[in-house]
Amino acid sequence: MAGETTSSSPTIDPYEYLQFFPNPDGTATRKRNVLHISDSDHDPRVLFKDVPINTSNETWARIFLPRQVLDSSSTTKLPLIVYYHGGGFIIGSLDESISHDFCSNVALEYPAVVVSAEYRLAPEHRLPAAYDDSMEVLHWIKTTQEELLKEYADFSSCSLMGVSAGANIAYQVGLRVAAQVEDILPLKIKGLILQHLFIGGEKRTESELRLMNNPFFPVCVSDILWEFSLPHGADRDHEYCSLTVDGGSDVLDQIKQLGWKILITATTGDPMIDRQLEMVKMMEQKGVQVQSHYDEEGYHGIDIIEPEKRKAVPVIMKEFVTSAMAPLSVKDTVG
């Protein structure tokens, strides 16, 4: 299996790996070299527009719309996808080319109106700040006069989607919404799409021990991400991290009643695969309509990193939406 290692002792410096260096005042210095999108790099078939959400918190969002709908005489609106980027809550931005390209591809190929949300990062703003900011985006959407959303997005068909920490955010925001669905009307959530869900716990799983020094996402890196993002004094058994602790959230019963569909995608090369499997099992036991899609080869985040995998995501999403909740096979969804 790609990236597999049987060593149970960390051999990687997580700070160097992340290019993330904490400062004594509670802030952090980030030295990652990342590519940001420019107009010349953007797919011309997709229109995008940046909008402010909360100027005090410096949060904003980027709207993606396939240009073909602008030239169409159809009055049918597109489904709405609210997307949260990854980065372990401490790094990352929707403006990075990897996130931008992913959202642009989903908007074009699904097709959909995609709203990609920027949120505050830890440790400067520990959880639940990212959840609060991500929830605020939904409240902005429900009241906005932004033409791209009012004219082209179907507010009655909205999905929350994210990768890694973004999937964790989508899940936590989903719990908040399900507990008080009236608060975001006319926006109606139909489901959650959780890619390579960032999840943890104090006790190591078999997959974490087996993939301790996985080169793509070492377990020691995961530990650092949680250390600097969880509330002060919390350990990895906190409900933000261990999503199955104490049998999971009681709000899952409400999600069941609402009829939401949940898709969890993962790869067996991810150290968190055992926890993701446990998450699926927990939802099944609670009667939630959950579907899983697992690749036998790959690593954490491969769906947004590798172009061919990225192109396959809208296909998997379409199968998920139209299916009768039967498990998807890899060969049926990834060519």
Side-chain angles (χ1 to χ4, degrees):
M1 185 179 298
E4 184 166 334
T5 174
T6 57
S7 174
S8 59
S9 300
T11 60
I12 297 168
D13 182 335
Y15 299 101
E16 289 290 340
Y17 180 94
L18 292 167
Q19 287 295 288
F20 169 89
F21 304 98
N23 300 317
D25 63 357
T27 64
T29 300
R30 300 164 176 86
K31 296 184 177 180
R32 296 167 62 238
N33 291 321
V34 296
L35 295 175
H36 292 273
I37 197 69
S38 66
D39 288 340
S40 60
D41 297 326
H42 175 70
D43 188 331
R45 296 173 295 174
V46 179
L47 172 70
F48 75 92
K49 179 181 181 180
D50 296 342
V51 294
I53 301 297
N54 185 319
T55 54
S56 296
N57 291 336
E58 299 182 347
T59 56
W60 53 290
R62 177 167 291 171
I63 303 169
F64 295 82
L65 178 73
R67 290 187 183 274
Q68 63 193 25
V69 304
L70 300 175
D71 303 324
S72 173
S73 59
S74 173
T75 57
T76 302
K77 295 185 176 183
L78 296 177
L80 174 64
I81 296 173
V82 181
Y83 179 82
Y84 305 110
H85 67 80
F89 303 110
I90 70 171
I91 57 176
S93 168
L94 68 82
D95 194 40
E96 293 181 9
S97 60
I98 190 172
S99 296
H100 179 99
D101 291 345
F102 179 82
C103 290
S104 179
N105 181 64
V106 169
L108 180 66
E109 300 295 343
Y110 187 65
V113 178
V114 177
V115 177
S116 182
E118 188 78 329
Y119 50 86
R120 289 171 293 171
L121 299 177
E124 294 86 351
H125 306 281
R126 288 177 176 263
L127 296 174
Y131 304 149
D132 296 340
D133 294 345
S134 300
M135 188 73 191
E136 187 174 25
V137 172
L138 300 186
H139 286 284
W140 176 84
I141 291 173
K142 82 168 188 176
T143 59
T144 186
Q145 297 303 306
E146 170 56 52
E147 182 180 0
L148 293 182
L149 293 179
K150 288 178 65 68
E151 293 296 322
Y152 300 105
D154 182 356
F155 280 20
S156 69
S157 181
C158 177
S159 298
L160 305 181
M161 180 179 187
V163 61
S164 191
N168 181 294
I169 291 173
Y171 179 72
Q172 295 287 356
V173 171
L175 293 179
R176 293 190 184 189
V177 171
Q180 296 178 312
V181 290
E182 298 83 4
D183 286 357
I184 64 165
L185 292 175
L187 200 58
K188 294 182 180 180
I189 307 300
K190 295 295 186 181
L192 310 177
I193 301 171
L194 312 178
Q195 297 176 277
H196 299 198
L197 178 64
F198 187 43
I199 184 173
E202 283 294 313
K203 184 178 180 181
R204 299 296 190 206
T205 64
E206 186 279 332
S207 61
E208 287 170 343
L209 292 173
R210 175 169 48 85
L211 298 169
M212 178 68 69
N213 292 302
N214 176 273
F216 299 104
F217 197 51
V219 174
C220 62
V221 168
S222 177
D223 290 348
I224 289 297
L225 298 176
W226 288 119
E227 178 182 344
F228 287 96
S229 62
L230 286 170
H232 286 293
D235 63 20
R236 294 194 304 274
D237 286 333
H238 190 279
E239 62 182 330
Y240 295 162
C241 175
S242 182
L243 305 184
T244 58
V245 67
D246 296 328
S249 172
D250 292 339
V251 181
L252 286 170
D253 292 331
Q254 183 65 18
I255 287 178
K256 173 187 174 182
Q257 295 300 319
L258 291 168
W260 291 7
K261 294 181 178 181
I262 299 178
L263 173 64
I264 296 180
T265 70
T267 171
T268 53
D270 189 336
M272 291 175 285
I273 185 66
D274 286 353
R275 298 189 188 278
Q276 294 156 354
L277 286 166
E278 183 183 7
M279 188 77 171
V280 172
K281 183 178 179 180
M282 178 194 72
M283 290 185 180
E284 289 174 340
Q285 291 174 341
K286 288 181 175 290
V288 175
Q289 296 184 74
V290 60
Q291 186 177 96
S292 57
H293 172 88
Y294 297 104
D295 276 334
E296 292 297 328
E297 296 291 338
Y299 52 86
H300 185 81
I302 191 174
D303 285 358
I304 69 166
I305 295 172
E306 295 193 8
E308 289 305 312
K309 293 292 185 181
R310 189 162 61 231
K311 291 178 182 178
V313 170
V315 179
I316 297 170
M317 291 168 61
K318 289 177 184 178
E319 291 285 344
F320 165 63
V321 170
T322 58
S323 72
M325 305 312 295
L328 295 176
S329 68
V330 173
K331 68 179 182 179
D332 287 339
T333 55
V334 180

